[in-house]
Amino acid sequence: MLGVIPSIVRTWKSTNSVSGYNWSTIRCFSSTGEASNVDEYLWLMGRARYKPVIECCGGTEIGGGFVSGSLLQAQSLAAFSTPVMGCSLFILGSDGCPVPKNKPGIGELVLGPAIFGSSTTLLNADHYDVYFKGMPMWNGKVLRRHGDMFELTARGYYRAHGRADDTMNLGGIKVSSVEIERICNEVDDCVLETAAIGVPPPAGGPEQLVIAVVFKDPGNNTTAYLQLRMSFNSAVQKKLNPLFRVSRVVPLQSLPRTATNKVMRRILHQQFAQLDQTSKL
Protein backbone atom coordinates (compact mmCIF):
# COMPACT_ATOMS: atom_id res chain seq x y z
CA MET A 1 0.00 0.00 0.00
CA LEU A 2 1.30 3.44 -0.89
CA GLY A 3 0.00 6.35 1.19
CA VAL A 4 -0.31 9.71 -0.57
CA ILE A 5 -1.81 13.17 -0.21
CA PRO A 6 -3.35 15.02 -3.19
CA SER A 7 -0.65 17.71 -3.27
CA ILE A 8 2.06 15.09 -3.81
CA VAL A 9 0.08 13.43 -6.59
CA ARG A 10 -0.53 16.80 -8.26
CA THR A 11 3.21 17.52 -8.25
CA TRP A 12 4.08 14.06 -9.57
CA LYS A 13 1.60 14.48 -12.41
CA SER A 14 2.57 18.05 -13.36
CA THR A 15 6.34 17.40 -13.29
CA ASN A 16 6.25 13.79 -14.54
CA SER A 17 8.82 13.05 -11.84
CA VAL A 18 7.85 9.39 -11.36
CA SER A 19 8.16 8.28 -14.98
CA GLY A 20 10.10 5.07 -15.37
CA TYR A 21 9.30 3.69 -11.93
CA ASN A 22 7.79 0.20 -11.67
CA TRP A 23 4.76 0.28 -9.37
CA SER A 24 3.27 -3.02 -10.52
CA THR A 25 3.49 -4.60 -7.05
CA ILE A 26 1.31 -1.93 -5.41
CA ARG A 27 -2.00 -3.48 -4.34
CA CYS A 28 -3.77 -0.22 -3.46
CA PHE A 29 -3.23 3.43 -2.55
CA SER A 30 -4.45 5.28 0.52
CA SER A 31 -5.11 9.02 0.50
CA THR A 32 -5.89 11.58 3.18
CA GLY A 33 -5.15 15.17 4.23
CA GLU A 34 -6.87 17.13 1.45
CA ALA A 35 -9.79 16.98 -0.96
CA SER A 36 -8.63 14.94 -3.96
CA ASN A 37 -9.17 15.30 -7.69
CA VAL A 38 -10.69 12.69 -10.02
CA ASP A 39 -8.35 13.31 -12.97
CA GLU A 40 -5.22 13.30 -10.82
CA TYR A 41 -6.19 10.09 -9.06
CA LEU A 42 -7.11 8.33 -12.28
CA TRP A 43 -3.60 9.23 -13.44
CA LEU A 44 -2.19 7.86 -10.17
CA MET A 45 -4.05 4.56 -10.55
CA GLY A 46 -2.67 4.26 -14.07
CA ARG A 47 0.88 4.07 -12.65
CA ALA A 48 -0.01 0.80 -10.88
CA ARG A 49 -2.26 -1.07 -13.32
CA TYR A 50 -5.33 0.80 -12.02
CA LYS A 51 -5.23 -0.43 -8.46
CA PRO A 52 -7.81 1.36 -6.25
CA VAL A 53 -7.33 4.49 -4.13
CA ILE A 54 -8.84 4.12 -0.65
CA GLU A 55 -9.72 7.55 0.72
CA CYS A 56 -9.78 8.28 4.45
CA CYS A 57 -10.79 11.46 6.26
CA GLY A 58 -10.40 12.08 9.97
CA GLY A 59 -8.71 14.34 12.46
CA THR A 60 -6.41 14.36 15.45
CA GLU A 61 -9.29 15.40 17.70
CA ILE A 62 -11.25 12.22 16.91
CA GLY A 63 -8.30 9.86 17.13
CA GLY A 64 -8.43 8.71 13.51
CA GLY A 65 -10.96 8.54 10.68
CA PHE A 66 -14.71 9.07 10.45
CA VAL A 67 -15.34 8.30 6.77
CA SER A 68 -13.41 6.02 4.44
CA GLY A 69 -13.29 3.88 1.35
CA SER A 70 -13.37 0.10 1.58
CA LEU A 71 -12.04 -2.77 -0.50
CA LEU A 72 -15.30 -4.60 0.33
CA GLN A 73 -17.38 -2.05 -1.61
CA ALA A 74 -17.42 -0.60 -5.10
CA GLN A 75 -15.42 2.62 -5.02
CA SER A 76 -15.72 5.99 -6.76
CA LEU A 77 -12.70 8.16 -7.53
CA ALA A 78 -11.99 10.96 -5.04
CA ALA A 79 -14.86 9.80 -2.83
CA PHE A 80 -15.61 7.86 0.35
CA SER A 81 -17.96 4.90 0.42
CA THR A 82 -18.78 4.47 4.11
CA PRO A 83 -18.64 5.95 7.61
CA VAL A 84 -16.06 4.14 9.73
CA MET A 85 -17.10 1.69 12.42
CA GLY A 86 -18.83 3.38 15.34
CA CYS A 87 -19.34 6.74 13.61
CA SER A 88 -22.49 8.41 12.26
CA LEU A 89 -22.38 11.27 9.74
CA PHE A 90 -24.83 14.09 9.07
CA ILE A 91 -24.86 16.92 6.54
CA LEU A 92 -26.41 20.20 7.64
CA GLY A 93 -28.91 21.81 5.30
CA SER A 94 -29.36 25.54 4.70
CA ASP A 95 -31.61 25.67 7.80
CA GLY A 96 -28.76 24.40 9.99
CA CYS A 97 -30.45 21.05 10.62
CA PRO A 98 -29.34 17.60 9.42
CA VAL A 99 -30.81 16.64 6.04
CA PRO A 100 -32.57 13.24 5.89
CA LYS A 101 -30.27 10.24 5.64
CA ASN A 102 -29.58 9.04 2.08
CA LYS A 103 -30.80 12.32 0.59
CA PRO A 104 -28.21 13.82 -1.83
CA GLY A 105 -26.94 17.26 -0.93
CA ILE A 106 -23.97 19.37 0.12
CA GLY A 107 -23.31 21.20 3.36
CA GLU A 108 -21.25 21.29 6.54
CA LEU A 109 -20.50 17.84 7.89
CA VAL A 110 -21.23 17.05 11.55
CA LEU A 111 -20.68 13.88 13.55
CA GLY A 112 -22.65 11.85 16.04
CA PRO A 113 -21.27 12.62 19.54
CA ALA A 114 -20.24 9.01 20.34
CA ILE A 115 -17.04 8.29 18.40
CA PHE A 116 -14.22 5.93 19.36
CA GLY A 117 -11.20 7.92 20.48
CA SER A 118 -12.80 11.37 20.28
CA SER A 119 -11.43 14.20 22.41
CA THR A 120 -13.09 15.40 25.60
CA THR A 121 -10.79 18.31 26.46
CA LEU A 122 -8.60 20.84 24.64
CA LEU A 123 -5.46 22.71 25.60
CA ASN A 124 -5.97 26.48 25.80
CA ALA A 125 -9.57 26.31 24.54
CA ASP A 126 -13.05 25.34 25.71
CA HIS A 127 -13.91 21.93 24.29
CA TYR A 128 -17.69 22.51 24.40
CA ASP A 129 -17.44 25.90 22.67
CA VAL A 130 -15.27 24.53 19.87
CA TYR A 131 -17.20 21.35 19.05
CA PHE A 132 -20.73 21.53 20.47
CA LYS A 133 -21.88 25.10 21.09
CA GLY A 134 -24.74 26.09 18.76
CA MET A 135 -25.00 22.63 17.19
CA PRO A 136 -28.36 20.90 16.48
CA MET A 137 -29.75 17.96 18.45
CA TRP A 138 -30.20 14.40 17.22
CA ASN A 139 -31.89 11.66 19.27
CA GLY A 140 -31.58 13.84 22.36
CA LYS A 141 -27.84 14.44 21.94
CA VAL A 142 -25.93 17.45 20.63
CA LEU A 143 -24.10 16.72 17.36
CA ARG A 144 -20.37 17.36 17.12
CA ARG A 145 -18.93 20.02 14.81
CA HIS A 146 -16.16 18.93 12.46
CA GLY A 147 -15.87 21.79 9.97
CA ASP A 148 -15.56 20.12 6.56
CA MET A 149 -17.87 20.73 3.62
CA PHE A 150 -19.18 17.36 2.38
CA GLU A 151 -21.43 16.17 -0.40
CA LEU A 152 -23.57 13.04 -0.43
CA THR A 153 -24.01 12.01 -4.06
CA ALA A 154 -27.06 10.38 -5.63
CA ARG A 155 -25.06 7.12 -5.79
CA GLY A 156 -24.44 7.19 -2.03
CA TYR A 157 -20.80 8.30 -1.99
CA TYR A 158 -19.37 11.10 0.13
CA ARG A 159 -17.14 13.76 -1.39
CA ALA A 160 -15.02 16.27 0.53
CA HIS A 161 -15.04 19.92 -0.56
CA GLY A 162 -12.50 21.37 1.87
CA ARG A 163 -13.05 23.25 5.10
CA ALA A 164 -16.36 24.97 5.73
CA ASP A 165 -14.39 28.08 6.69
CA ASP A 166 -12.67 27.91 3.27
CA THR A 167 -15.81 29.21 1.60
CA MET A 168 -16.62 32.68 0.31
CA ASN A 169 -19.66 34.68 -0.63
CA LEU A 170 -19.45 36.00 -4.19
CA GLY A 171 -22.42 38.11 -5.20
CA GLY A 172 -24.63 36.43 -2.63
CA ILE A 173 -23.58 32.91 -3.72
CA LYS A 174 -21.67 30.71 -1.28
CA VAL A 175 -18.89 28.77 -3.01
CA SER A 176 -16.02 26.57 -1.84
CA SER A 177 -12.45 27.70 -2.49
CA VAL A 178 -11.62 24.15 -3.57
CA GLU A 179 -14.17 24.26 -6.41
CA ILE A 180 -12.56 27.40 -7.86
CA GLU A 181 -9.02 26.12 -7.35
CA ARG A 182 -9.70 22.88 -9.21
CA ILE A 183 -10.77 24.90 -12.23
CA CYS A 184 -7.87 27.38 -12.05
CA ASN A 185 -5.26 24.62 -11.62
CA GLU A 186 -6.19 23.29 -15.06
CA VAL A 187 -6.22 26.62 -16.92
CA ASP A 188 -2.56 26.68 -17.96
CA ASP A 189 0.40 24.30 -17.85
CA CYS A 190 2.51 27.01 -16.23
CA VAL A 191 0.39 26.83 -13.05
CA LEU A 192 1.58 24.51 -10.28
CA GLU A 193 -1.19 25.29 -7.77
CA THR A 194 -3.61 28.04 -6.76
CA ALA A 195 -5.53 29.27 -3.72
CA ALA A 196 -8.84 31.11 -4.06
CA ILE A 197 -9.56 33.74 -1.41
CA GLY A 198 -12.56 36.00 -0.87
CA VAL A 199 -11.33 39.44 0.24
CA PRO A 200 -13.64 42.33 1.16
CA PRO A 201 -12.67 45.61 -0.54
CA PRO A 202 -11.14 48.35 1.69
CA ALA A 203 -14.23 50.53 1.40
CA GLY A 204 -16.54 47.63 2.27
CA GLY A 205 -18.94 45.66 0.12
CA PRO A 206 -19.13 42.14 -1.34
CA GLU A 207 -16.08 39.89 -1.26
CA GLN A 208 -13.77 40.03 -4.26
CA LEU A 209 -12.22 36.86 -5.66
CA VAL A 210 -8.42 36.87 -5.45
CA ILE A 211 -6.38 33.97 -6.86
CA ALA A 212 -2.95 33.27 -5.40
CA VAL A 213 -0.91 31.35 -7.96
CA VAL A 214 2.34 29.39 -7.69
CA PHE A 215 4.13 28.88 -11.01
CA LYS A 216 6.09 25.79 -12.00
CA ASP A 217 8.86 28.11 -13.18
CA PRO A 218 8.78 31.23 -10.97
CA GLY A 219 11.47 32.94 -13.03
CA ASN A 220 9.55 32.85 -16.29
CA ASN A 221 6.00 33.90 -15.51
CA THR A 222 5.65 37.47 -16.78
CA THR A 223 3.70 36.67 -19.91
CA ALA A 224 1.66 34.00 -18.14
CA TYR A 225 0.78 36.36 -15.30
CA LEU A 226 -0.55 39.02 -17.67
CA GLN A 227 -2.91 36.50 -19.28
CA LEU A 228 -3.92 34.45 -16.27
CA ARG A 229 -6.61 36.72 -14.83
CA MET A 230 -8.56 36.63 -18.09
CA SER A 231 -8.04 32.89 -18.41
CA PHE A 232 -9.15 32.28 -14.81
CA ASN A 233 -12.17 34.51 -15.36
CA SER A 234 -13.22 32.68 -18.48
CA ALA A 235 -12.82 29.22 -16.96
CA VAL A 236 -14.58 30.02 -13.68
CA GLN A 237 -17.49 31.73 -15.44
CA LYS A 238 -17.89 28.91 -17.94
CA LYS A 239 -17.52 25.94 -15.58
CA LEU A 240 -18.89 27.32 -12.31
CA ASN A 241 -20.96 30.51 -12.48
CA PRO A 242 -21.14 33.30 -15.12
CA LEU A 243 -21.52 35.88 -12.34
CA PHE A 244 -18.17 35.15 -10.70
CA ARG A 245 -15.26 37.46 -11.52
CA VAL A 246 -11.57 37.19 -10.64
CA SER A 247 -10.54 40.54 -9.22
CA ARG A 248 -6.79 39.95 -8.90
CA VAL A 249 -4.09 37.36 -9.46
CA VAL A 250 -1.26 37.38 -6.91
CA PRO A 251 1.91 35.37 -7.71
CA LEU A 252 3.57 33.63 -4.76
CA GLN A 253 6.69 31.50 -4.36
CA SER A 254 4.69 28.97 -2.33
CA LEU A 255 1.41 28.66 -0.41
CA PRO A 256 1.44 28.75 3.40
CA ARG A 257 0.71 25.29 4.78
CA THR A 258 0.20 23.53 8.08
CA ALA A 259 2.50 20.77 9.32
CA THR A 260 0.12 18.28 7.65
CA ASN A 261 0.40 20.15 4.32
CA LYS A 262 -3.05 21.78 4.31
CA VAL A 263 -3.22 25.22 2.70
CA MET A 264 -3.74 27.98 5.28
CA ARG A 265 -6.19 30.19 3.39
CA ARG A 266 -6.85 32.22 6.52
CA ILE A 267 -3.24 33.44 6.44
CA LEU A 268 -3.61 34.47 2.79
CA HIS A 269 -6.92 36.17 3.59
CA GLN A 270 -5.25 38.22 6.33
CA GLN A 271 -2.29 39.12 4.12
CA PHE A 272 -4.42 40.22 1.16
CA ALA A 273 -6.76 42.20 3.40
CA GLN A 274 -3.78 43.99 4.97
CA LEU A 275 -2.37 44.80 1.54
CA ASP A 276 -5.69 46.30 0.50
CA GLN A 277 -5.86 48.35 3.67
CA THR A 278 -2.27 49.58 3.21
CA SER A 279 -2.90 50.60 -0.40
CA LYS A 280 -6.03 52.46 0.73
CA LEU A 281 -4.01 54.43 3.29
Side-chain angles (χ1 to χ4, degrees), residues 58-110:
T60 306
E61 75 284 358
I62 56 174
F66 61 86
V67 65
S68 178
S70 171
L71 290 174
L72 301 180
Q73 297 170 308
Q75 296 301 291
S76 179
L77 276 171
F80 312 90
S81 60
T82 181
V84 302
M85 183 177 65
C87 181
S88 52
L89 311 180
F90 304 86
I91 292 177
L92 298 184
S94 56
D95 59 356
C97 297
V99 299
K101 288 262 186 170
N102 302 320
K103 180 181 179 181
I106 185 171
E108 183 176 350
L109 178 105
V110 295

Short mmCIF file of all heavy atoms in Angstrom, two decimals, residues 58-110:
data_model
loop_
_atom_site.label_atom_id
_atom_site.label_comp_id
_atom_site.label_asym_id
_atom_site.label_seq_id
_atom_site.Cartn_x
_atom_site.Cartn_y
_atom_site.Cartn_z
N GLY A 58 -10.27 12.15 8.51
CA GLY A 58 -10.40 12.08 9.97
C GLY A 58 -9.93 13.34 10.63
O GLY A 58 -10.19 14.44 10.16
N GLY A 59 -9.21 13.19 11.72
CA GLY A 59 -8.71 14.34 12.46
C GLY A 59 -8.07 13.91 13.75
O GLY A 59 -8.46 12.89 14.34
N THR A 60 -7.09 14.67 14.19
CA THR A 60 -6.41 14.36 15.45
C THR A 60 -7.39 14.34 16.61
O THR A 60 -7.29 13.51 17.51
CB THR A 60 -5.31 15.40 15.71
OG1 THR A 60 -4.45 15.48 14.58
CG2 THR A 60 -4.50 15.04 16.94
N GLU A 61 -8.37 15.26 16.57
CA GLU A 61 -9.29 15.40 17.70
C GLU A 61 -10.29 14.26 17.82
O GLU A 61 -11.00 14.15 18.82
CB GLU A 61 -10.03 16.74 17.60
CG GLU A 61 -11.14 16.80 16.56
CD GLU A 61 -10.64 16.94 15.15
OE1 GLU A 61 -9.42 17.04 14.93
OE2 GLU A 61 -11.48 16.94 14.24
N ILE A 62 -10.38 13.39 16.79
CA ILE A 62 -11.25 12.22 16.91
C ILE A 62 -10.45 10.93 16.84
O ILE A 62 -11.01 9.86 16.63
CB ILE A 62 -12.37 12.22 15.85
CG1 ILE A 62 -11.80 12.31 14.44
CG2 ILE A 62 -13.36 13.33 16.11
CD1 ILE A 62 -12.84 12.17 13.36
N GLY A 63 -9.14 11.04 17.00
CA GLY A 63 -8.30 9.86 17.13
C GLY A 63 -8.24 8.98 15.90
O GLY A 63 -7.96 7.78 16.00
N GLY A 64 -8.50 9.52 14.72
CA GLY A 64 -8.43 8.71 13.51
C GLY A 64 -9.43 9.16 12.47
O GLY A 64 -9.66 10.36 12.30
N GLY A 65 -10.07 8.21 11.78
CA GLY A 65 -10.96 8.54 10.68
C GLY A 65 -12.42 8.49 11.06
O GLY A 65 -12.80 7.84 12.04
N PHE A 66 -13.27 9.16 10.26
CA PHE A 66 -14.71 9.07 10.45
C PHE A 66 -15.43 8.64 9.18
O PHE A 66 -16.57 8.20 9.21
CB PHE A 66 -15.29 10.39 10.97
CG PHE A 66 -15.09 11.56 10.05
CD1 PHE A 66 -15.98 11.82 9.02
CD2 PHE A 66 -14.01 12.41 10.23
CE1 PHE A 66 -15.79 12.90 8.17
CE2 PHE A 66 -13.82 13.49 9.39
CZ PHE A 66 -14.70 13.74 8.35
N VAL A 67 -14.76 8.76 8.03
CA VAL A 67 -15.34 8.30 6.77
C VAL A 67 -14.20 7.76 5.91
O VAL A 67 -13.07 8.26 5.97
CB VAL A 67 -16.10 9.44 6.05
CG1 VAL A 67 -15.15 10.56 5.62
CG2 VAL A 67 -16.90 8.91 4.86
N SER A 68 -14.49 6.71 5.13
CA SER A 68 -13.41 6.02 4.44
C SER A 68 -13.93 5.31 3.20
O SER A 68 -15.14 5.22 2.97
CB SER A 68 -12.79 4.98 5.40
OG SER A 68 -11.75 4.25 4.77
N GLY A 69 -12.98 4.83 2.39
CA GLY A 69 -13.29 3.88 1.35
C GLY A 69 -13.14 2.48 1.91
O GLY A 69 -12.72 2.29 3.06
N SER A 70 -13.49 1.48 1.12
CA SER A 70 -13.37 0.10 1.58
C SER A 70 -13.17 -0.83 0.39
O SER A 70 -13.85 -0.69 -0.64
CB SER A 70 -14.63 -0.32 2.34
OG SER A 70 -14.62 -1.72 2.61
N LEU A 71 -12.26 -1.79 0.54
CA LEU A 71 -12.04 -2.77 -0.50
C LEU A 71 -13.20 -3.76 -0.61
O LEU A 71 -13.26 -4.57 -1.53
CB LEU A 71 -10.74 -3.53 -0.24
CG LEU A 71 -9.45 -2.72 -0.44
CD1 LEU A 71 -8.24 -3.54 -0.01
CD2 LEU A 71 -9.30 -2.29 -1.88
N LEU A 72 -14.13 -3.72 0.35
CA LEU A 72 -15.30 -4.60 0.33
C LEU A 72 -16.48 -3.98 -0.42
O LEU A 72 -17.53 -4.61 -0.55
CB LEU A 72 -15.73 -4.94 1.76
CG LEU A 72 -14.67 -5.63 2.62
CD1 LEU A 72 -15.22 -5.91 4.01
CD2 LEU A 72 -14.20 -6.93 1.97
N GLN A 73 -16.31 -2.74 -0.90
CA GLN A 73 -17.38 -2.05 -1.61
C GLN A 73 -16.86 -1.52 -2.94
O GLN A 73 -15.66 -1.32 -3.12
CB GLN A 73 -17.89 -0.85 -0.78
CG GLN A 73 -18.51 -1.23 0.56
CD GLN A 73 -18.76 0.00 1.41
OE1 GLN A 73 -17.86 0.82 1.63
NE2 GLN A 73 -19.98 0.13 1.88
N ALA A 74 -17.79 -1.30 -3.87
CA ALA A 74 -17.42 -0.60 -5.10
C ALA A 74 -17.02 0.82 -4.74
O ALA A 74 -17.67 1.47 -3.92
CB ALA A 74 -18.61 -0.60 -6.07
N GLN A 75 -15.94 1.31 -5.35
CA GLN A 75 -15.42 2.62 -5.02
C GLN A 75 -15.65 3.62 -6.15
O GLN A 75 -15.85 3.24 -7.31
CB GLN A 75 -13.93 2.53 -4.71
CG GLN A 75 -13.60 1.71 -3.47
CD GLN A 75 -14.25 2.26 -2.22
OE1 GLN A 75 -13.91 3.31 -1.72
NE2 GLN A 75 -15.25 1.53 -1.72
N SER A 76 -15.61 4.89 -5.80
CA SER A 76 -15.72 5.99 -6.76
C SER A 76 -14.53 6.90 -6.55
O SER A 76 -14.16 7.19 -5.40
CB SER A 76 -17.03 6.75 -6.54
OG SER A 76 -17.15 7.83 -7.44
N LEU A 77 -13.91 7.35 -7.63
CA LEU A 77 -12.70 8.16 -7.53
C LEU A 77 -12.94 9.43 -6.71
O LEU A 77 -13.97 10.10 -6.86
CB LEU A 77 -12.21 8.54 -8.92
CG LEU A 77 -11.33 7.50 -9.62
CD1 LEU A 77 -11.10 7.91 -11.07
CD2 LEU A 77 -10.01 7.35 -8.90
N ALA A 78 -11.96 9.75 -5.86
CA ALA A 78 -11.99 10.96 -5.04
C ALA A 78 -13.23 11.02 -4.16
O ALA A 78 -13.81 12.08 -3.94
CB ALA A 78 -11.88 12.21 -5.91
N ALA A 79 -13.65 9.86 -3.65
CA ALA A 79 -14.86 9.80 -2.83
C ALA A 79 -14.69 8.75 -1.74
O ALA A 79 -13.80 7.90 -1.78
CB ALA A 79 -16.08 9.49 -3.69
N PHE A 80 -15.57 8.81 -0.76
CA PHE A 80 -15.61 7.86 0.35
C PHE A 80 -16.89 7.04 0.23
O PHE A 80 -17.94 7.56 -0.14
CB PHE A 80 -15.61 8.59 1.69
CG PHE A 80 -14.56 9.67 1.81
CD1 PHE A 80 -14.85 10.97 1.43
CD2 PHE A 80 -13.30 9.38 2.31
CE1 PHE A 80 -13.89 11.97 1.54
CE2 PHE A 80 -12.34 10.36 2.41
CZ PHE A 80 -12.63 11.66 2.02
N SER A 81 -16.80 5.77 0.59
CA SER A 81 -17.96 4.90 0.42
C SER A 81 -18.71 4.61 1.70
O SER A 81 -19.86 4.17 1.66
CB SER A 81 -17.53 3.56 -0.21
OG SER A 81 -16.59 2.89 0.62
N THR A 82 -18.11 4.88 2.88
CA THR A 82 -18.78 4.47 4.11
C THR A 82 -18.27 5.23 5.33
O THR A 82 -17.09 5.59 5.39
CB THR A 82 -18.56 2.96 4.35
OG1 THR A 82 -19.21 2.55 5.54
CG2 THR A 82 -17.07 2.64 4.47
N PRO A 83 -19.14 5.49 6.31
CA PRO A 83 -18.64 5.95 7.61
C PRO A 83 -17.82 4.83 8.24
O PRO A 83 -18.07 3.64 7.98
CB PRO A 83 -19.93 6.20 8.42
CG PRO A 83 -21.02 6.31 7.41
CD PRO A 83 -20.62 5.43 6.27
N VAL A 84 -16.85 5.18 9.06
CA VAL A 84 -16.06 4.14 9.73
C VAL A 84 -16.87 3.53 10.87
O VAL A 84 -17.90 4.06 11.28
CB VAL A 84 -14.72 4.70 10.26
CG1 VAL A 84 -13.90 5.32 9.14
CG2 VAL A 84 -14.97 5.71 11.38
N MET A 85 -16.39 2.41 11.36
CA MET A 85 -17.10 1.69 12.42
C MET A 85 -17.32 2.59 13.65
O MET A 85 -16.38 3.24 14.12
CB MET A 85 -16.32 0.45 12.82
CG MET A 85 -17.01 -0.41 13.86
SD MET A 85 -16.09 -1.93 14.25
CE MET A 85 -14.61 -1.25 15.00
N GLY A 86 -18.53 2.63 14.13
CA GLY A 86 -18.83 3.38 15.34
C GLY A 86 -19.05 4.86 15.14
O GLY A 86 -19.12 5.62 16.11
N CYS A 87 -19.18 5.31 13.88
CA CYS A 87 -19.34 6.74 13.61
C CYS A 87 -20.59 6.97 12.76
O CYS A 87 -20.87 6.20 11.84
CB CYS A 87 -18.12 7.28 12.89
SG CYS A 87 -18.22 9.05 12.56
N SER A 88 -21.34 8.01 13.07
CA SER A 88 -22.49 8.41 12.26
C SER A 88 -22.25 9.81 11.71
O SER A 88 -21.73 10.68 12.41
CB SER A 88 -23.78 8.36 13.09
OG SER A 88 -23.63 9.10 14.29
N LEU A 89 -22.62 10.02 10.44
CA LEU A 89 -22.38 11.27 9.74
C LEU A 89 -23.69 11.96 9.43
O LEU A 89 -24.69 11.32 9.13
CB LEU A 89 -21.63 11.03 8.43
CG LEU A 89 -20.38 10.16 8.47
CD1 LEU A 89 -19.80 10.06 7.07
CD2 LEU A 89 -19.36 10.73 9.43
N PHE A 90 -23.67 13.30 9.44
CA PHE A 90 -24.83 14.09 9.07
C PHE A 90 -24.35 15.29 8.26
O PHE A 90 -23.25 15.82 8.50
CB PHE A 90 -25.58 14.59 10.31
CG PHE A 90 -26.02 13.50 11.24
CD1 PHE A 90 -25.16 13.02 12.22
CD2 PHE A 90 -27.27 12.92 11.12
CE1 PHE A 90 -25.54 12.01 13.08
CE2 PHE A 90 -27.68 11.90 11.98
CZ PHE A 90 -26.80 11.44 12.95
N ILE A 91 -25.15 15.72 7.32
CA ILE A 91 -24.86 16.92 6.54
C ILE A 91 -25.91 17.95 6.87
O ILE A 91 -27.12 17.68 6.78
CB ILE A 91 -24.84 16.62 5.03
CG1 ILE A 91 -23.64 15.72 4.70
CG2 ILE A 91 -24.75 17.91 4.21
CD1 ILE A 91 -23.56 15.30 3.25
N LEU A 92 -25.47 19.14 7.26
CA LEU A 92 -26.41 20.20 7.64
C LEU A 92 -26.97 20.88 6.39
O LEU A 92 -26.23 21.23 5.48
CB LEU A 92 -25.72 21.23 8.53
CG LEU A 92 -25.18 20.73 9.88
CD1 LEU A 92 -24.63 21.91 10.69
CD2 LEU A 92 -26.27 20.01 10.67
N GLY A 93 -28.28 21.09 6.38
CA GLY A 93 -28.91 21.81 5.30
C GLY A 93 -28.81 23.31 5.51
O GLY A 93 -28.18 23.79 6.46
N SER A 94 -29.42 24.08 4.62
CA SER A 94 -29.36 25.54 4.70
C SER A 94 -30.04 26.07 5.96
O SER A 94 -29.77 27.20 6.39
CB SER A 94 -30.01 26.16 3.46
OG SER A 94 -31.35 25.70 3.31
N ASP A 95 -30.93 25.26 6.57
CA ASP A 95 -31.61 25.67 7.80
C ASP A 95 -30.81 25.33 9.04
O ASP A 95 -31.26 25.56 10.17
CB ASP A 95 -32.99 25.04 7.88
CG ASP A 95 -32.95 23.50 7.85
OD1 ASP A 95 -31.83 22.95 7.68
OD2 ASP A 95 -34.01 22.88 7.98
N GLY A 96 -29.61 24.74 8.86
CA GLY A 96 -28.76 24.40 9.99
C GLY A 96 -29.12 23.09 10.65
O GLY A 96 -28.53 22.74 11.68
N CYS A 97 -30.05 22.34 10.07
CA CYS A 97 -30.45 21.05 10.62
C CYS A 97 -29.99 19.92 9.70
O CYS A 97 -29.82 20.13 8.49
CB CYS A 97 -31.97 21.00 10.78
SG CYS A 97 -32.62 22.21 11.95
N PRO A 98 -29.78 18.73 10.26
CA PRO A 98 -29.34 17.60 9.42
C PRO A 98 -30.38 17.27 8.34
O PRO A 98 -31.58 17.22 8.62
CB PRO A 98 -29.20 16.45 10.42
CG PRO A 98 -29.02 17.10 11.75
CD PRO A 98 -29.82 18.36 11.70
N VAL A 99 -29.91 17.06 7.11
CA VAL A 99 -30.81 16.64 6.04
C VAL A 99 -31.10 15.16 6.24
O VAL A 99 -30.32 14.44 6.88
CB VAL A 99 -30.19 16.88 4.65
CG1 VAL A 99 -29.91 18.36 4.44
CG2 VAL A 99 -28.91 16.07 4.47
N PRO A 100 -32.24 14.66 5.72
CA PRO A 100 -32.57 13.24 5.89
C PRO A 100 -31.47 12.33 5.37
O PRO A 100 -30.80 12.63 4.38
CB PRO A 100 -33.86 13.07 5.08
CG PRO A 100 -34.46 14.45 5.05
CD PRO A 100 -33.30 15.39 5.01
N LYS A 101 -31.28 11.22 6.06
CA LYS A 101 -30.27 10.24 5.64
C LYS A 101 -30.56 9.76 4.22
O LYS A 101 -31.71 9.59 3.82
CB LYS A 101 -30.28 9.04 6.59
CG LYS A 101 -29.69 9.37 7.96
CD LYS A 101 -28.26 8.91 8.05
CE LYS A 101 -27.72 9.11 9.47
NZ LYS A 101 -26.42 8.47 9.62
N ASN A 102 -29.50 9.54 3.46
CA ASN A 102 -29.58 9.04 2.08
C ASN A 102 -30.16 10.05 1.09
O ASN A 102 -30.44 9.70 -0.05
CB ASN A 102 -30.38 7.74 2.01
CG ASN A 102 -29.79 6.65 2.90
OD1 ASN A 102 -28.58 6.51 2.98
ND2 ASN A 102 -30.65 5.91 3.58
N LYS A 103 -30.33 11.29 1.51
CA LYS A 103 -30.80 12.32 0.59
C LYS A 103 -29.59 13.08 0.05
O LYS A 103 -28.81 13.64 0.82
CB LYS A 103 -31.75 13.29 1.29
CG LYS A 103 -32.27 14.40 0.36
CD LYS A 103 -33.19 15.35 1.10
CE LYS A 103 -33.67 16.46 0.16
NZ LYS A 103 -34.56 17.43 0.86
N PRO A 104 -29.38 13.12 -1.28
CA PRO A 104 -28.21 13.82 -1.83
C PRO A 104 -28.23 15.30 -1.46
O PRO A 104 -29.29 15.93 -1.35
CB PRO A 104 -28.39 13.63 -3.34
CG PRO A 104 -29.27 12.45 -3.49
CD PRO A 104 -30.20 12.48 -2.32
N GLY A 105 -27.05 15.85 -1.26
CA GLY A 105 -26.94 17.26 -0.93
C GLY A 105 -25.53 17.61 -0.51
O GLY A 105 -24.66 16.73 -0.38
N ILE A 106 -25.29 18.89 -0.29
CA ILE A 106 -23.97 19.37 0.12
C ILE A 106 -24.15 20.36 1.26
O ILE A 106 -25.10 21.14 1.29
CB ILE A 106 -23.21 20.01 -1.07
CG1 ILE A 106 -21.79 20.40 -0.65
CG2 ILE A 106 -23.96 21.19 -1.62
CD1 ILE A 106 -20.91 20.83 -1.82
N GLY A 107 -23.24 20.30 2.22
CA GLY A 107 -23.31 21.20 3.36
C GLY A 107 -22.21 20.89 4.35
O GLY A 107 -21.33 20.04 4.10
N GLU A 108 -22.26 21.54 5.51
CA GLU A 108 -21.25 21.29 6.54
C GLU A 108 -21.48 19.93 7.17
O GLU A 108 -22.61 19.56 7.50
CB GLU A 108 -21.29 22.37 7.61
CG GLU A 108 -20.21 22.20 8.67
CD GLU A 108 -20.18 23.33 9.69
OE1 GLU A 108 -20.87 24.35 9.47
OE2 GLU A 108 -19.47 23.18 10.70
N LEU A 109 -20.41 19.17 7.31
CA LEU A 109 -20.50 17.84 7.89
C LEU A 109 -20.41 17.92 9.41
O LEU A 109 -19.59 18.65 9.96
CB LEU A 109 -19.36 16.97 7.37
CG LEU A 109 -19.34 15.57 7.96
CD1 LEU A 109 -19.85 14.56 6.94
CD2 LEU A 109 -17.95 15.19 8.42
N VAL A 110 -21.29 17.17 10.09
CA VAL A 110 -21.23 17.05 11.55
C VAL A 110 -21.26 15.57 11.91
O VAL A 110 -21.64 14.72 11.09
CB VAL A 110 -22.38 17.80 12.24
CG1 VAL A 110 -22.28 19.29 11.99
CG2 VAL A 110 -23.74 17.28 11.77
#
